[in-house]
Short mmCIF file of all heavy atoms in Angstrom, two decimals:
data_model
loop_
_atom_site.label_atom_id
_atom_site.label_comp_id
_atom_site.label_asym_id
_atom_site.label_seq_id
_atom_site.Cartn_x
_atom_site.Cartn_y
_atom_site.Cartn_z
N ARG L 725 49.38 -35.69 -5.10
CA ARG L 725 50.67 -35.14 -5.55
C ARG L 725 50.46 -34.07 -6.62
O ARG L 725 51.08 -33.01 -6.58
CB ARG L 725 51.58 -36.25 -6.08
CG ARG L 725 52.23 -37.09 -4.97
CD ARG L 725 53.34 -37.98 -5.52
NE ARG L 725 52.86 -38.91 -6.53
CZ ARG L 725 52.34 -40.12 -6.25
NH1 ARG L 725 52.25 -40.53 -4.99
NH2 ARG L 725 51.93 -40.92 -7.22
N GLY L 726 49.55 -34.35 -7.55
CA GLY L 726 49.27 -33.36 -8.59
C GLY L 726 48.72 -32.07 -8.00
O GLY L 726 49.15 -30.96 -8.35
N GLN L 727 47.77 -32.21 -7.09
CA GLN L 727 47.12 -31.04 -6.53
C GLN L 727 48.04 -30.24 -5.62
O GLN L 727 48.04 -29.01 -5.64
CB GLN L 727 45.84 -31.45 -5.77
CG GLN L 727 44.74 -31.94 -6.69
CD GLN L 727 44.44 -30.96 -7.79
OE1 GLN L 727 44.01 -29.84 -7.54
NE2 GLN L 727 44.73 -31.35 -9.03
N ILE L 728 48.83 -30.93 -4.82
CA ILE L 728 49.67 -30.20 -3.86
C ILE L 728 50.73 -29.40 -4.62
O ILE L 728 51.09 -28.28 -4.23
CB ILE L 728 50.27 -31.15 -2.79
CG1 ILE L 728 50.68 -30.36 -1.54
CG2 ILE L 728 51.47 -31.93 -3.29
CD1 ILE L 728 49.58 -30.04 -0.61
N ALA L 729 51.18 -29.94 -5.77
CA ALA L 729 52.16 -29.20 -6.57
C ALA L 729 51.52 -27.92 -7.11
O ALA L 729 52.13 -26.84 -7.08
CB ALA L 729 52.66 -30.08 -7.72
N GLU L 730 50.28 -28.04 -7.56
CA GLU L 730 49.59 -26.85 -8.06
C GLU L 730 49.35 -25.83 -6.96
O GLU L 730 49.51 -24.62 -7.16
CB GLU L 730 48.23 -27.25 -8.63
CG GLU L 730 48.33 -28.20 -9.79
CD GLU L 730 47.57 -27.69 -10.99
OE1 GLU L 730 46.46 -27.15 -10.80
OE2 GLU L 730 48.09 -27.83 -12.11
N ARG L 731 48.97 -26.33 -5.81
CA ARG L 731 48.70 -25.41 -4.69
C ARG L 731 49.97 -24.62 -4.36
O ARG L 731 49.90 -23.44 -4.05
CB ARG L 731 48.24 -26.19 -3.46
CG ARG L 731 46.98 -27.00 -3.64
CD ARG L 731 45.76 -26.13 -3.48
NE ARG L 731 44.55 -26.96 -3.46
CZ ARG L 731 43.94 -27.35 -2.35
NH1 ARG L 731 44.40 -26.98 -1.17
NH2 ARG L 731 42.86 -28.08 -2.41
N LYS L 732 51.07 -25.31 -4.39
CA LYS L 732 52.33 -24.66 -4.04
C LYS L 732 52.67 -23.62 -5.11
O LYS L 732 52.97 -22.47 -4.81
CB LYS L 732 53.44 -25.71 -3.95
CG LYS L 732 54.72 -25.16 -3.40
CD LYS L 732 55.62 -26.28 -2.92
CE LYS L 732 56.68 -25.71 -1.99
NZ LYS L 732 57.44 -26.74 -1.32
N HIS L 733 52.55 -24.05 -6.35
CA HIS L 733 52.92 -23.18 -7.46
C HIS L 733 52.04 -21.93 -7.51
O HIS L 733 52.52 -20.81 -7.70
CB HIS L 733 52.82 -23.97 -8.76
CG HIS L 733 53.32 -23.22 -9.95
ND1 HIS L 733 52.50 -22.80 -10.95
CD2 HIS L 733 54.55 -22.78 -10.26
CE1 HIS L 733 53.21 -22.13 -11.85
NE2 HIS L 733 54.45 -22.11 -11.45
N PHE L 734 50.75 -22.10 -7.31
CA PHE L 734 49.85 -20.95 -7.43
C PHE L 734 49.52 -20.31 -6.08
O PHE L 734 48.59 -19.52 -5.98
CB PHE L 734 48.57 -21.37 -8.15
CG PHE L 734 48.81 -21.76 -9.59
CD1 PHE L 734 48.79 -23.08 -9.98
CD2 PHE L 734 49.08 -20.78 -10.54
CE1 PHE L 734 49.03 -23.44 -11.30
CE2 PHE L 734 49.31 -21.12 -11.86
CZ PHE L 734 49.30 -22.46 -12.26
N LYS L 735 50.29 -20.66 -5.06
CA LYS L 735 50.16 -20.01 -3.75
C LYS L 735 48.76 -20.15 -3.14
O LYS L 735 48.06 -19.17 -2.88
CB LYS L 735 50.53 -18.53 -3.86
CG LYS L 735 51.95 -18.34 -4.37
CD LYS L 735 52.38 -16.91 -4.26
CE LYS L 735 53.87 -16.85 -4.56
NZ LYS L 735 54.37 -15.53 -4.81
N TYR L 736 48.34 -21.38 -2.98
CA TYR L 736 47.05 -21.64 -2.34
C TYR L 736 47.29 -22.44 -1.06
O TYR L 736 48.39 -22.93 -0.82
CB TYR L 736 46.16 -22.44 -3.30
CG TYR L 736 45.48 -21.58 -4.33
CD1 TYR L 736 45.77 -21.69 -5.68
CD2 TYR L 736 44.52 -20.64 -3.93
CE1 TYR L 736 45.13 -20.90 -6.62
CE2 TYR L 736 43.88 -19.84 -4.86
CZ TYR L 736 44.19 -19.97 -6.20
OH TYR L 736 43.55 -19.19 -7.12
N PRO L 737 46.23 -22.59 -0.23
CA PRO L 737 46.38 -23.42 0.96
C PRO L 737 46.80 -24.84 0.55
O PRO L 737 46.43 -25.26 -0.55
CB PRO L 737 44.97 -23.47 1.56
CG PRO L 737 44.24 -22.31 0.96
CD PRO L 737 44.86 -22.06 -0.36
N PRO L 738 47.55 -25.56 1.34
CA PRO L 738 47.94 -25.24 2.72
C PRO L 738 49.19 -24.35 2.81
O PRO L 738 49.64 -24.09 3.92
CB PRO L 738 48.23 -26.63 3.30
CG PRO L 738 48.70 -27.42 2.13
CD PRO L 738 47.96 -26.91 0.95
N PHE L 739 49.73 -23.90 1.68
CA PHE L 739 50.96 -23.11 1.76
C PHE L 739 50.68 -21.66 2.12
O PHE L 739 51.52 -20.98 2.68
CB PHE L 739 51.72 -23.21 0.44
CG PHE L 739 52.04 -24.63 0.09
CD1 PHE L 739 51.27 -25.33 -0.84
CD2 PHE L 739 53.05 -25.31 0.77
CE1 PHE L 739 51.54 -26.65 -1.12
CE2 PHE L 739 53.31 -26.65 0.49
CZ PHE L 739 52.55 -27.31 -0.45
N TYR L 740 49.52 -21.21 1.74
CA TYR L 740 49.10 -19.85 2.08
C TYR L 740 47.75 -19.91 2.78
O TYR L 740 46.95 -20.80 2.49
CB TYR L 740 48.98 -19.00 0.81
CG TYR L 740 50.32 -18.59 0.26
CD1 TYR L 740 51.16 -19.53 -0.32
CD2 TYR L 740 50.75 -17.27 0.36
CE1 TYR L 740 52.41 -19.18 -0.80
CE2 TYR L 740 51.99 -16.90 -0.12
CZ TYR L 740 52.82 -17.86 -0.70
OH TYR L 740 54.05 -17.49 -1.16
N ARG L 741 47.53 -18.95 3.67
CA ARG L 741 46.20 -18.82 4.25
C ARG L 741 45.38 -17.91 3.37
O ARG L 741 45.93 -16.94 2.82
CB ARG L 741 46.29 -18.12 5.60
CG ARG L 741 46.61 -18.99 6.74
CD ARG L 741 46.66 -18.11 7.97
NE ARG L 741 47.54 -18.67 8.94
CZ ARG L 741 47.18 -19.66 9.75
NH1 ARG L 741 45.96 -20.15 9.71
NH2 ARG L 741 48.04 -20.17 10.61
N MET L 742 44.11 -18.16 3.28
CA MET L 742 43.26 -17.25 2.52
C MET L 742 42.20 -16.65 3.40
O MET L 742 41.67 -17.30 4.29
CB MET L 742 42.59 -17.98 1.36
CG MET L 742 43.56 -18.31 0.24
SD MET L 742 42.75 -19.12 -1.12
CE MET L 742 41.85 -17.77 -1.85
N ILE L 743 41.93 -15.37 3.15
CA ILE L 743 40.79 -14.72 3.78
C ILE L 743 39.96 -14.12 2.65
O ILE L 743 40.51 -13.42 1.79
CB ILE L 743 41.24 -13.61 4.75
CG1 ILE L 743 42.11 -14.21 5.86
CG2 ILE L 743 40.04 -12.88 5.34
CD1 ILE L 743 42.66 -13.18 6.83
N GLY L 744 38.70 -14.43 2.63
CA GLY L 744 37.82 -13.88 1.60
C GLY L 744 37.07 -12.68 2.14
O GLY L 744 36.69 -12.66 3.32
N ILE L 745 36.88 -11.67 1.30
CA ILE L 745 36.06 -10.52 1.70
C ILE L 745 34.96 -10.39 0.65
O ILE L 745 35.25 -10.30 -0.54
CB ILE L 745 36.89 -9.23 1.74
CG1 ILE L 745 38.07 -9.38 2.69
CG2 ILE L 745 36.01 -8.04 2.15
CD1 ILE L 745 38.98 -8.17 2.72
N THR L 746 33.71 -10.44 1.09
CA THR L 746 32.60 -10.32 0.16
C THR L 746 31.89 -9.00 0.39
O THR L 746 31.54 -8.67 1.52
CB THR L 746 31.61 -11.49 0.38
OG1 THR L 746 32.33 -12.71 0.22
CG2 THR L 746 30.47 -11.43 -0.61
N LEU L 747 31.71 -8.23 -0.67
CA LEU L 747 31.00 -6.95 -0.57
C LEU L 747 29.66 -7.09 -1.28
O LEU L 747 29.58 -7.69 -2.35
CB LEU L 747 31.80 -5.83 -1.25
CG LEU L 747 33.15 -5.50 -0.63
CD1 LEU L 747 34.25 -6.26 -1.33
CD2 LEU L 747 33.41 -4.00 -0.70
N LYS L 748 28.64 -6.52 -0.66
CA LYS L 748 27.31 -6.59 -1.28
C LYS L 748 26.66 -5.21 -1.24
O LYS L 748 26.75 -4.50 -0.22
CB LYS L 748 26.41 -7.55 -0.51
CG LYS L 748 26.79 -9.01 -0.64
CD LYS L 748 25.74 -9.88 -0.01
CE LYS L 748 26.21 -11.31 0.07
NZ LYS L 748 25.29 -12.15 0.82
N HIS L 749 26.01 -4.87 -2.33
CA HIS L 749 25.33 -3.57 -2.39
C HIS L 749 24.20 -3.67 -3.41
O HIS L 749 24.31 -4.40 -4.39
CB HIS L 749 26.32 -2.48 -2.81
CG HIS L 749 25.89 -1.10 -2.40
ND1 HIS L 749 24.85 -0.44 -2.99
CD2 HIS L 749 26.39 -0.27 -1.45
CE1 HIS L 749 24.70 0.75 -2.41
NE2 HIS L 749 25.62 0.88 -1.46
N ARG L 750 23.15 -2.89 -3.19
CA ARG L 750 22.03 -2.91 -4.13
C ARG L 750 22.37 -2.23 -5.45
O ARG L 750 21.82 -2.56 -6.49
CB ARG L 750 20.82 -2.20 -3.51
CG ARG L 750 19.85 -3.17 -2.91
CD ARG L 750 18.70 -2.51 -2.22
NE ARG L 750 18.48 -3.17 -0.93
CZ ARG L 750 17.97 -4.40 -0.83
NH1 ARG L 750 17.61 -5.07 -1.90
NH2 ARG L 750 17.82 -4.95 0.36
#
Side-chain angles (χ1 to χ4, degrees):
R725 283 192 300 273
Q727 290 307 297
I728 201 80
E730 298 233 320
R731 300 278 188 98
K732 188 162 198 171
H733 186 247
F734 294 105
K735 302 189 170 166
Y736 279 114
F739 303 101
Y740 285 70
R741 276 179 208 280
M742 287 182 74
I743 299 177
I745 303 176
T746 303
L747 297 94
K748 290 188 189 173
H749 203 289
R750 262 176 225 288

